[in-house]
Amino acid sequence: MSNEDIRVLTAQLAADPSSLVFLPLGEALRRRGQLEAAEKVAIAGLTRYPDLADAHDLLARILGDGGDLERAFDEWDIALRLDGGHAGAHKGIGFLYYVAGDLPKALSHLESALAADPGAEGVAAAVARVREALASPGTAPSAPLAPSPADTPPAEVSAADVQAAVFDGLEGALDGLLLLDAEGLRLGGGLAAPDGEPVGDAVAAHLAGVFRDAERAARLLSLGSWKSVAAETADANLFLCAPTPESLLLLVRDNSVPIGRLALQAERASDAARRWLEGAA
């Protein structure tokens, strides 16, 4: 969502504080990483609509992005008490149960999320991974699903604990390749900051907005479907592409790697991601 879109939504909410426009506005701010502003919008909306499950789901996602997973769980729990079939709440709680190691509960919630929203590609892949883990006790699922819950300290599973089956055999499978769905959920791979801090989940959440902006720009300019975006920075070179219409791949390499080589590496990684997604469907 563009800055102009956000300004329009903000103006609409200011003109009518009782408007439900706080939902798309809060989500847009969340996707842009403006979590403090997003939380204020969500809480203000909840003061007017305390029984609206979508509002609790919005606040939960904002809190989850900020690492406050205990409160996020509580908000999703409230959403389910208000609407037992709420797809977003089932999805969020399912992912938290997954990393907590309670796979039966994780599967139950993820299956409920998929039943409520059968087109949710990321959830379908997550269900497949949990079923795989339950079918093979003692083995980890072949892809990460979500941040850990409140009783597990890190806000993101560390790279050492993340399985990299999506990009198995490719350079940077755990640090430098990132696969996410259109909602900003990390499906595979990982990224680390220069200090070693894992940032894959946070980057995935931010990139969901980029995904939509690229689609919108290509449509407005009558360019057809967008294919890829390359960027060169002082510290690294980046390449973005879409393995499927509902997924996004980010490849990050040292700036000594030319963009042309990045494009070739991204093509191989994209093919691997596409095969993995098709197999999980």
Side-chain angles (χ1 to χ4, degrees):
M1 186 174 289
S2 68
N3 288 335
E4 180 59 28
D5 293 331
I6 290 179
R7 281 194 290 269
V8 170
L9 292 176
T10 302
Q12 291 176 355
L13 187 60
D16 181 9
S18 65
S19 171
L20 290 176
V21 77
F22 79 89
L23 291 170
L25 176 58
E27 177 64 8
L29 292 169
R30 181 188 77 84
R31 291 186 181 279
R32 293 170 69 91
Q34 297 173 239
L35 300 183
E36 185 176 350
E39 184 175 350
K40 288 179 180 177
V41 168
I43 290 175
L46 275 168
T47 60
R48 293 180 178 274
Y49 297 99
D51 296 327
L52 183 63
D54 283 348
H56 289 281
D57 176 47
L58 170 63
L59 180 57
R61 282 181 280 116
I62 294 166
L63 293 169
D65 284 358
D68 193 345
L69 301 176
E70 183 174 4
R71 286 177 63 202
F73 185 98
D74 289 343
E75 291 297 326
W76 275 318
D77 184 57
I78 293 171
L80 286 181
R81 279 186 266 136
L82 294 168
D83 177 2
H86 195 283
H90 277 299
K91 176 180 175 181
I93 287 183
F95 290 148
L96 295 181
Y97 272 131
Y98 165 80
V99 184
D102 193 332
L103 298 187
K105 286 185 179 178
L107 182 60
S108 175
H109 282 285
L110 291 171
E111 287 179 333
S112 295
L114 189 60
D117 185 6
E121 181 177 333
V123 178
V127 167
R129 301 280 74 77
V130 177
R131 286 175 177 166
E132 173 190 332
L134 287 170
S136 304
T139 63
S142 59
L145 297 184
S148 56
D151 58 354
T152 304
E156 177 180 351
V157 180
S158 68
D161 296 328
V162 173
Q163 299 296 311
V166 183
F167 303 119
D168 190 28
L170 296 180
E171 179 187 352
L174 287 174
D175 183 12
L177 281 169
L178 189 67
L179 178 67
L180 60 139
D181 68 10
E183 300 303 316
L185 170 69
R186 181 168 61 105
L187 300 177
L191 288 175
D195 63 0
E197 179 71 17
V199 294
D201 288 321
V203 171
H206 287 299
L207 284 177
V210 174
F211 185 94
R212 287 173 172 76
D213 286 344
E215 287 182 327
R216 183 170 180 270
R219 185 173 63 252
L220 291 174
L221 295 172
S222 300
L223 298 176
S225 299
W226 76 280
K227 299 298 183 183
S228 62
V229 176
E232 297 179 274
T233 75
D235 300 312
N237 291 339
L238 303 88
F239 197 93
L240 283 168
C241 59
T244 69
E246 293 299 322
S247 64
L248 186 67
L249 170 74
L250 171 66
L251 185 147
V252 181
R253 292 290 183 266
D254 182 87
N255 57 12
S256 64
V257 180
I259 292 294
R261 187 183 301 173
L262 237 64
L264 292 175
Q265 293 180 4
E267 183 178 356
R268 290 194 292 270
S270 183
D271 288 342
R274 190 180 304 110
R275 290 193 300 270
W276 181 82
L277 288 168
E278 289 172 351

